[in-house]
Amino acid sequence: MPKPRKQLVALDATPYYHCVSRCVRRAFLCGQDEQGRSFEHRRGWIEKLILDQAQVFCIDIAAYAVMSNHFHVVLHVNQKNSKQLSDLDVVSRWHRLYKGNVISQKFGRGETLSPTQGLLLADLIEEWRDRLTSISWFMRRLNETVARLANEEDQCTGHFWEGRFKSQALLDEKALAACMAYVDLNPVRAAMAKTPEESEHTSVKKRAEKAKEAHSPNHPKQQAFGLLPFAGNPRQDIPEGIQMRLTDYLDLVDWTGRQIRDNKRGSISEAEPAIMNRLGIDSEHWLYITQNFESEFKGIVGAVNEVKSKISQFWDGQRERRRAAGIAACKLRLS
């Protein structure tokens, strides 16, 4: 039975989540179907919607990949940004997503509200502020928009997506790096691209293209617009972003992609990136999880000590579920 979303998201434990949505119809989400009809343009829809929504929600995009019948996205919930928004900012952002109501429209135009209207709007603003950091609302609007556009194009009605989206909580840096590499290498594993930088509609291609143009590719302000920047290796007063260097991550993904593409089981290159040592990652386990991340791990992913210390924040008081949370896989692959 699917778990309630509140049991899969705990922002006090981690702001990072891997989400996947799959198409339910035989007609492809993207690519070409068996009749030769091309839906490739839909990949551009989804990529644009992912990046556009990140500018409205207080949610950053760490990684994404749009495939033929599903897409992946690694999200970072930015609660700090949400708390800093003014009431007008919240209303303005929400109106970019939905129409709001008469009171919010009046407030947005700068008109004076009655005391009663002011109280109603205050409650609404707090609700919308929470929704701007909600993974469920982010994915809901993204999937609804894609489904509506696809149904219009296909001239049909009904469900487009396979029920709810799947989500996994990423508790530490090692889990985040593994999941991002898994997402970015989806087209390479599916033989849709030879190298990560040639993988269309992926975050790694977007990052690699920008890095080639940048004078200092590891500087957060010289990285790809719309994506959560790499802020550098962990240290005091580190800027906001992913705590590793962009060039280290690109080297890691490139090396991993070569192993996957060449199918070098049991023959690991001696030139593995230095970041592998810093993260304490075993090469064999790394290659396995970057090909089997979804099937290997359950809803919570991280080193065993991280899982044990934070699991109660996801499933408070439910011991049976705690024991079945995939700790064995985390112990084997990430510890």
Side-chain angles (χ1 to χ4, degrees):
M1 178 181 294
K3 298 180 180 70
R5 191 65 60 191
K6 65 181 180 181
Q7 293 183 358
L8 299 175
V9 176
L11 297 182
D12 290 338
T14 178
Y16 290 100
Y17 295 85
H18 170 221
C19 301
V20 187
S21 280
R22 300 182 186 279
C23 184
V24 72
R25 291 209 301 259
R26 288 187 178 181
F28 275 19
L29 169 63
C30 308
Q32 288 190 342
D33 65 7
E34 296 176 353
Q35 285 73 44
R37 293 181 300 170
S38 176
F39 300 97
E40 189 66 16
H41 58 283
R42 293 180 181 176
R43 299 178 75 190
W45 290 356
I46 298 169
E47 182 176 32
K48 185 176 187 303
L49 281 167
I50 288 171
L51 297 173
D52 286 350
Q53 282 195 185
Q55 302 304 309
V56 180
F57 282 84
C58 297
I59 292 177
D60 306 308
I61 309 300
Y64 67 85
V66 186
M67 305 298 289
S68 293
N69 61 358
H70 68 284
F71 70 88
H72 298 259
V73 62
V74 179
L75 304 176
H76 170 262
V77 180
N78 195 333
Q79 288 183 295
K80 180 181 177 182
N81 186 19
S82 172
K83 293 175 181 177
Q84 293 175 343
L85 294 178
S86 68
D87 289 352
L88 183 58
D89 289 335
V90 171
V91 171
S92 297
R93 289 188 180 218
W94 191 255
H95 284 172
R96 290 169 64 182
L97 302 170
Y98 301 100
K99 292 182 179 180
N101 60 21
V102 174
I103 298 175
S104 67
Q105 291 287 350
K106 188 175 180 181
F107 177 75
R109 293 191 296 268
E111 299 177 16
T112 303
L113 302 181
S114 69
T116 301
Q117 289 176 328
L119 292 173
L120 292 172
L121 181 64
D123 291 339
L124 203 55
I125 286 174
E126 288 310 303
E127 181 180 343
W128 289 349
R129 191 186 300 273
D130 288 340
R131 289 181 180 180
L132 289 175
T133 59
S134 169
I135 290 174
S136 292
W137 275 90
F138 183 96
M139 294 297 291
R140 172 182 174 176
R141 185 181 186 275
L142 176 60
N143 285 350
E144 284 179 350
T145 304
V146 174
R148 185 178 66 251
L149 291 171
N151 282 349
E152 289 176 357
E153 186 175 63
D154 294 341
Q155 296 183 341
C156 68
T157 60
H159 292 289
F160 186 79
W161 299 104
E162 194 179 69
R164 302 189 313 166
F165 66 91
K166 177 182 178 181
S167 67
Q168 294 174 299
L170 309 174
L171 299 184
D172 54 30
E173 186 181 24
K174 192 183 299 185
L176 175 63
C179 185
M180 289 179 62
Y182 169 77
V183 169
D184 279 328
L185 287 169
N186 252 253
V188 173
R189 292 200 320 277
M192 295 171 63
K194 292 183 178 181
T195 62
E197 62 270 23
E198 295 174 357
S199 303
E200 295 293 339
H201 307 291
T202 63
S203 52
V204 70
K205 177 179 174 65
K206 189 175 178 68
R207 291 187 189 278
E209 288 179 343
K210 181 62 178 178
K212 291 178 183 178
E213 302 173 355
H215 177 71
S216 300
N218 287 317
H219 195 289
K221 293 186 178 179
Q222 295 188 33
Q223 295 179 32
F225 176 77
L227 296 176
L228 182 65
F230 284 79
N233 295 330
R235 64 180 188 276
Q236 191 174 11
D237 300 325
I238 190 171
E240 192 171 289
I242 302 167
Q243 295 190 7
M244 64 183 79
R245 298 196 314 164
L246 172 62
T247 51
D248 286 343
Y249 175 73
L250 292 177
D251 285 344
L252 180 63
V253 173
D254 180 69
W255 177 85
T256 307
R258 292 177 191 280
Q259 311 307 314
I260 292 173
R261 190 179 70 251
D262 295 338
N263 196 26
K264 295 182 179 179
R265 291 181 180 271
S267 179
I268 307 302
S269 168
E270 295 180 359
E272 63 187 50
I275 190 175
M276 296 278 283
N277 293 326
R278 186 174 71 76
L279 294 178
I281 296 174
D282 176 85
S283 298
E284 292 284 358
H285 286 165
W286 173 262
L287 291 178
Y288 182 83
I289 61 179
T290 51
Q291 296 179 76
N292 302 279
F293 195 92
E294 283 183 83
S295 58
E296 182 71 2
F297 299 112
K298 304 300 180 183
I300 303 174
V301 188
V304 170
N305 62 312
E306 290 290 325
V307 174
K308 289 182 176 179
S309 66
K310 295 177 179 178
I311 197 169
S312 62
Q313 298 180 50
F314 292 87
W315 296 313
D316 188 25
Q318 299 185 35
R319 295 183 181 179
E320 291 302 319
R321 284 182 173 171
R322 292 187 197 182
R323 283 200 290 267
I327 291 180
C330 292
K331 182 178 182 180
L332 175 64
R333 304 296 181 184
L334 293 173
S335 299

